[in-house]
Amino acid sequence: MSWIFRSFLVAGLACAGAAAKADTIVETPSTAGAGSFISEYDNALAPLQFVKFCMNYGAECEQDVTADQSALPSGERAREMLREVNRAVNDAITPMKKPTSPMLAHWTVSPDAGDCNDYAVTKRHRLIEKGWPRSALRLAVVLTEGGQGHLVLVARTSDGDVVLDNLSSSVRPWSAAGYQWISMQSGSNPRFWVAIGEHGAHLRASRLATVRTPS
Protein backbone atom coordinates (compact mmCIF):
# COMPACT_ATOMS: atom_id res chain seq x y z
CA MET A 1 0.00 0.00 0.00
CA SER A 2 1.40 3.39 -0.96
CA TRP A 3 2.28 5.95 1.72
CA ILE A 4 -0.25 8.47 0.34
CA PHE A 5 -3.11 5.94 0.15
CA ARG A 6 -2.23 4.70 3.62
CA SER A 7 -2.31 8.19 5.13
CA PHE A 8 -5.74 8.81 3.60
CA LEU A 9 -7.40 5.65 4.88
CA VAL A 10 -5.57 4.83 8.09
CA ALA A 11 -7.96 6.70 10.40
CA GLY A 12 -10.77 4.58 9.02
CA LEU A 13 -9.22 1.41 10.41
CA ALA A 14 -10.35 -0.08 13.69
CA CYS A 15 -9.08 1.76 16.74
CA ALA A 16 -6.71 -0.24 18.90
CA GLY A 17 -7.80 -1.46 22.31
CA ALA A 18 -9.95 0.05 25.04
CA ALA A 19 -9.58 3.16 27.13
CA ALA A 20 -7.03 3.18 29.92
CA LYS A 21 -8.55 4.14 33.25
CA ALA A 22 -7.15 6.56 35.78
CA ASP A 23 -6.00 3.97 38.30
CA THR A 24 -2.85 3.15 36.32
CA ILE A 25 -1.47 6.63 35.87
CA VAL A 26 2.29 6.97 35.39
CA GLU A 27 3.15 10.43 34.20
CA THR A 28 6.15 10.96 31.92
CA PRO A 29 7.81 14.36 32.26
CA SER A 30 8.37 16.46 29.16
CA THR A 31 11.28 18.82 28.80
CA ALA A 32 11.92 21.28 26.00
CA GLY A 33 14.71 20.49 23.58
CA ALA A 34 15.53 18.82 20.30
CA GLY A 35 12.81 16.41 19.28
CA SER A 36 10.26 17.86 21.71
CA PHE A 37 8.05 18.97 18.83
CA ILE A 38 6.73 16.84 15.98
CA SER A 39 8.40 17.58 12.64
CA GLU A 40 5.91 18.78 10.02
CA TYR A 41 6.30 18.49 6.28
CA ASP A 42 4.07 18.91 3.22
CA ASN A 43 0.29 19.06 3.12
CA ALA A 44 -1.55 15.75 3.51
CA LEU A 45 -5.05 14.53 2.74
CA ALA A 46 -7.40 14.87 5.70
CA PRO A 47 -9.14 11.62 6.69
CA LEU A 48 -12.55 11.37 5.04
CA GLN A 49 -14.16 10.90 8.46
CA PHE A 50 -12.63 14.21 9.54
CA VAL A 51 -14.22 15.98 6.56
CA LYS A 52 -17.58 14.51 7.58
CA PHE A 53 -16.89 15.56 11.19
CA CYS A 54 -16.39 19.17 10.10
CA MET A 55 -19.69 19.06 8.22
CA ASN A 56 -21.49 17.87 11.36
CA TYR A 57 -19.53 19.97 13.89
CA GLY A 58 -18.58 23.11 11.99
CA ALA A 59 -17.55 25.05 15.10
CA GLU A 60 -14.95 22.40 15.98
CA CYS A 61 -13.08 23.08 12.74
CA GLU A 62 -12.99 26.87 12.87
CA GLN A 63 -9.72 28.75 13.09
CA ASP A 64 -8.76 30.77 16.15
CA VAL A 65 -9.91 34.38 15.87
CA THR A 66 -6.29 35.39 16.41
CA ALA A 67 -3.05 33.43 16.25
CA ASP A 68 -2.09 34.71 19.70
CA GLN A 69 -0.76 31.86 21.85
CA SER A 70 -1.01 33.90 25.04
CA ALA A 71 -4.17 31.99 25.96
CA LEU A 72 -2.14 28.80 26.28
CA PRO A 73 -1.76 27.79 29.94
CA SER A 74 1.83 27.44 31.03
CA GLY A 75 3.88 25.09 33.15
CA GLU A 76 2.26 22.82 35.68
CA ARG A 77 -1.20 24.32 35.16
CA ALA A 78 -1.16 23.22 31.52
CA ARG A 79 -0.03 19.71 32.44
CA GLU A 80 -2.67 19.48 35.16
CA MET A 81 -5.45 20.46 32.75
CA LEU A 82 -4.28 17.94 30.15
CA ARG A 83 -4.12 15.13 32.70
CA GLU A 84 -7.54 16.03 34.05
CA VAL A 85 -9.21 16.02 30.63
CA ASN A 86 -7.43 12.86 29.49
CA ARG A 87 -8.57 10.94 32.57
CA ALA A 88 -12.10 12.35 32.58
CA VAL A 89 -12.82 11.51 28.95
CA ASN A 90 -11.23 8.06 29.18
CA ASP A 91 -13.54 7.34 32.12
CA ALA A 92 -16.66 8.92 30.59
CA ILE A 93 -16.76 7.07 27.25
CA THR A 94 -17.33 3.31 27.15
CA PRO A 95 -15.14 1.65 24.49
CA MET A 96 -17.14 0.42 21.52
CA LYS A 97 -16.21 -0.88 18.08
CA LYS A 98 -17.75 1.23 15.33
CA PRO A 99 -17.93 0.83 11.54
CA THR A 100 -14.53 1.44 9.95
CA SER A 101 -15.72 2.11 6.41
CA PRO A 102 -15.02 5.78 5.55
CA MET A 103 -18.57 6.05 4.27
CA LEU A 104 -20.20 4.66 7.43
CA ALA A 105 -17.87 5.78 10.19
CA HIS A 106 -18.42 9.08 11.99
CA TRP A 107 -16.76 10.93 14.83
CA THR A 108 -18.91 12.11 17.74
CA VAL A 109 -18.25 14.60 20.55
CA SER A 110 -19.06 13.29 24.05
CA PRO A 111 -20.91 10.05 23.21
CA ASP A 112 -21.76 7.52 25.93
CA ALA A 113 -19.77 4.90 23.98
CA GLY A 114 -17.27 5.28 21.16
CA ASP A 115 -13.88 4.54 19.66
CA CYS A 116 -10.51 6.32 19.56
CA ASN A 117 -11.84 8.99 17.20
CA ASP A 118 -14.58 9.97 19.65
CA TYR A 119 -12.16 10.11 22.58
CA ALA A 120 -9.79 12.39 20.64
CA VAL A 121 -12.37 14.89 19.37
CA THR A 122 -14.04 15.02 22.79
CA LYS A 123 -10.76 15.85 24.53
CA ARG A 124 -10.07 18.60 22.01
CA HIS A 125 -13.59 19.98 22.48
CA ARG A 126 -13.26 20.09 26.27
CA LEU A 127 -9.87 21.78 26.21
CA ILE A 128 -11.15 24.44 23.80
CA GLU A 129 -14.03 25.03 26.23
CA LYS A 130 -11.41 25.54 28.96
CA GLY A 131 -9.74 28.28 26.91
CA TRP A 132 -7.02 26.43 25.03
CA PRO A 133 -6.32 27.84 21.55
CA ARG A 134 -7.38 25.54 18.72
CA SER A 135 -3.96 25.85 17.09
CA ALA A 136 -2.40 24.10 20.11
CA LEU A 137 -4.80 21.13 19.95
CA ARG A 138 -4.32 18.94 16.92
CA LEU A 139 -5.79 15.58 15.98
CA ALA A 140 -3.19 13.16 14.65
CA VAL A 141 -3.30 9.87 12.76
CA VAL A 142 -0.79 7.25 13.90
CA LEU A 143 -0.07 3.56 13.42
CA THR A 144 0.31 1.34 16.47
CA GLU A 145 3.10 -1.22 16.78
CA GLY A 146 0.70 -3.75 15.27
CA GLY A 147 0.10 -1.50 12.25
CA GLN A 148 -3.40 -0.50 13.24
CA GLY A 149 -4.78 2.95 12.51
CA HIS A 150 -5.39 5.10 15.58
CA LEU A 151 -6.38 8.71 16.33
CA VAL A 152 -4.92 10.73 19.21
CA LEU A 153 -4.91 14.35 20.34
CA VAL A 154 -1.61 16.24 20.33
CA ALA A 155 -1.35 19.24 22.63
CA ARG A 156 1.44 21.71 21.94
CA THR A 157 2.85 23.11 25.18
CA SER A 158 5.84 25.33 25.84
CA ASP A 159 7.77 22.17 26.77
CA GLY A 160 6.89 20.23 23.63
CA ASP A 161 4.15 18.16 22.02
CA VAL A 162 2.33 15.71 24.28
CA VAL A 163 -0.26 13.02 23.53
CA LEU A 164 -3.72 12.51 25.00
CA ASP A 165 -4.68 8.93 24.19
CA ASN A 166 -7.52 6.59 25.11
CA LEU A 167 -4.95 3.76 25.26
CA SER A 168 -2.98 5.49 28.02
CA SER A 169 -4.01 7.07 31.29
CA SER A 170 -0.87 9.23 31.21
CA VAL A 171 -0.15 12.30 29.10
CA ARG A 172 3.09 11.43 27.33
CA PRO A 173 5.62 13.25 25.15
CA TRP A 174 4.87 12.34 21.54
CA SER A 175 8.24 10.60 21.15
CA ALA A 176 7.47 8.27 24.08
CA ALA A 177 4.15 7.03 22.70
CA GLY A 178 5.69 4.30 20.54
CA TYR A 179 3.66 5.14 17.43
CA GLN A 180 4.45 5.68 13.77
CA TRP A 181 3.29 9.21 13.04
CA ILE A 182 1.41 9.74 9.78
CA SER A 183 -0.48 13.04 9.63
CA MET A 184 -1.82 15.82 11.84
CA GLN A 185 -4.02 18.90 11.69
CA SER A 186 -2.23 22.04 10.59
CA GLY A 187 -1.60 24.58 13.33
CA SER A 188 -2.50 27.45 11.01
CA ASN A 189 -5.85 26.03 9.86
CA PRO A 190 -7.53 23.06 11.60
CA ARG A 191 -9.30 22.04 8.38
CA PHE A 192 -5.96 21.28 6.72
CA TRP A 193 -3.58 18.42 7.54
CA VAL A 194 0.18 17.96 7.22
CA ALA A 195 2.39 14.90 6.91
CA ILE A 196 4.54 14.40 10.00
CA GLY A 197 7.42 12.40 11.46
CA GLU A 198 9.40 9.89 9.41
CA HIS A 199 6.38 9.43 7.16
CA GLY A 200 6.44 13.11 6.25
CA ALA A 201 10.18 13.05 5.69
CA HIS A 202 9.77 10.04 3.39
CA LEU A 203 7.07 11.76 1.35
CA ARG A 204 9.11 14.94 0.97
CA ALA A 205 12.23 13.04 -0.06
CA SER A 206 10.24 11.09 -2.65
CA ARG A 207 8.71 14.27 -4.04
CA LEU A 208 12.08 16.03 -4.27
CA ALA A 209 13.62 12.99 -5.97
CA THR A 210 10.83 13.05 -8.54
CA VAL A 211 11.29 16.77 -9.17
CA ARG A 212 15.04 16.38 -9.62
CA THR A 213 14.81 13.37 -11.95
CA PRO A 214 15.17 14.53 -15.57
CA SER A 215 12.29 13.59 -17.84
Side-chain angles (χ1 to χ4, degrees), residues 72-95:
L72 181 65
S74 60
E76 181 55 33
R77 177 54 184 156
R79 291 188 288 272
E80 179 185 341
M81 291 174 71
L82 294 175
R83 289 192 293 262
E84 175 186 323
V85 168
N86 193 57
R87 297 171 194 167
V89 175
N90 282 359
D91 286 341
I93 300 176
T94 300

Side-chain angles (χ1 to χ4, degrees), residues 49-61 105-107:
Q49 298 91 329
F50 172 76
V51 177
K52 292 169 60 179
F53 174 75
C54 288
M55 294 174 63
N56 294 327
Y57 295 91
E60 297 293 320
C61 301
H106 62 277
W107 301 354

Side-chain angles (χ1 to χ4, degrees), residues 2 5 36 41-42 67 72 79 97 103 118 150 154 160 169 210:
S2 72
F5 188 64
S36 296
Y41 296 90
D42 302 339
L72 181 65
R79 291 188 288 272
K97 288 186 177 181
M103 299 307 297
D118 304 317
H150 188 51
V154 173
S169 51
T210 301

